[in-house]
Amino acid sequence: MRRFDPAYADAKRRIDAGEIGKPIYYKGFTRDFGSPPAEFIKKSGGIFVDCSIHNYDIARY
């Protein structure tokens, strides 16, 4: 989902155009606005499991 964020898309465009240089390091972090509903928490894997896929995706992007 982050690859559709305008800031990430712009960074990708600039990297591909050679404006920024070759990335050699990626640091991902996630923040939530608040606790999700209790029903979601019962079935989720927690913030690390639920959000990690987005960090892996953007690192490869």
Side-chain angles (χ1 to χ4, degrees):
M1 72 184 197
R2 291 186 183 117
R3 62 177 65 204
F4 300 105
D5 180 286
Y8 282 87
D10 184 53
K12 169 76 166 143
R13 181 193 59 76
R14 294 179 68 199
I15 291 167
D16 289 347
E19 294 176 29
I20 294 176
K22 181 180 178 181
I24 57 170
Y25 180 80
Y26 168 76
K27 179 179 180 179
F29 59 92
T30 302
R31 296 183 183 152
D32 270 352
F33 295 109
S35 296
E39 284 302 310
F40 177 80
I41 293 172
K42 289 179 187 178
K43 298 175 185 172
S44 80
I47 191 169
F48 295 110
V49 172
D50 293 345
C51 294
S52 292
I53 189 64
H54 301 296
N55 288 325
Y56 291 123
D57 177 59
I58 203 65
R60 295 186 70 229
Y61 176 64

